[in-house]
Amino acid sequence: GLPVHLGHIELNEPLLPDTLASLGDREAILVPLLLSRGYHIKRDIPEMAAESSVRARVAGALGPHPLLVEALTARLVEAGWRTRMDEPTRRTSAVVLAAAGSRDPESRVDTSRTAQLLANRLGVPVIPAYATTAAPTVQDALAALATRGRTRVAIASYFTAPGRFATECAQKAPWIASAPLGTHPAMAR
């Protein structure tokens, strides 16, 4: 029952400052579709809001949260992950949680927490890895898992939408790669 307006931080239009300008001095809640705390949550969005006439409140990052784990699990199952597996299969299986990455240490904490929640749900190791600016890379995580005998490895796409990073990470999958979280109902919940 509320109007919803889209505003991108960068790269796509409409840009957030333009969206905020179109709202005049109304009250608004900015809900970042970002999965962890980082520079955009801490600096970019609050600064853009402060520079506008909008009376804005900024919500926190979406994750870590059990609903994100629900969406990640569903996307893995859609890609071919079996929720029931025998013990030999389980011992060779793992997941790389492929995220964008951030230099912000709190972002890494959030992504690691999501990886742990997903590991608890799936019953296999889940290693967070990053497309940019953070380590390990997806390729490094895959290599580390291989040295531990984990050869049946899925890439869980921890991205809100398709794009360059999601595509590049999925292409590294030695087995299956899930789709980005996108419009999964758990994202809205």
Side-chain angles (χ1 to χ4, degrees), residues 68-82:
L68 291 175
V69 174
E70 179 182 324
L72 285 163
T73 302
R75 292 294 189 228
L76 282 167
V77 168
E78 290 168 3
W81 183 269
R82 291 188 320 230

Side-chain angles (χ1 to χ4, degrees), residues 22-159:
S22 74
L23 297 176
D25 64 354
R26 295 192 314 203
E27 185 175 335
I29 298 172
L30 307 184
V31 181
L33 294 181
L34 297 168
L35 301 170
S36 62
R37 296 171 289 174
Y39 189 80
H40 290 318
I41 293 275
K42 292 177 180 179
R43 300 279 310 265
D44 287 338
I45 295 170
E47 286 176 2
M48 289 177 192
E51 292 170 3
S52 76
S53 299
V54 173
R55 291 172 286 134
R57 290 182 286 161
V58 180
L62 297 177
H65 197 281
L67 287 170
L68 291 175
V69 174
E70 179 182 324
L72 285 163
T73 302
R75 292 294 189 228
L76 282 167
V77 168
E78 290 168 3
W81 183 269
R82 291 188 320 230
T83 55
R84 293 187 178 147
M85 58 182 77
D86 59 31
E87 196 52 37
T89 303
R90 186 173 303 286
R91 282 195 300 269
T92 60
S93 298
V95 173
V96 171
L97 181 65
S102 172
R103 289 184 185 93
D104 189 295
E106 288 182 312
S107 177
R108 291 177 50 91
V109 167
D110 289 350
T111 304
S112 293
R113 178 70 181 130
T114 299
Q116 185 58 54
L117 291 169
L118 186 59
N120 294 346
R121 173 101 179 239
L122 299 177
V124 300
V126 176
I127 306 298
Y130 304 96
T132 64
T133 67
T137 65
V138 170
Q139 197 63 46
D140 293 341
L142 291 169
L145 286 165
T147 64
R148 295 169 31 197
R150 302 289 176 159
T151 55
R152 188 175 174 269
V153 180
I155 303 289
S157 184
Y158 198 41
F159 300 97

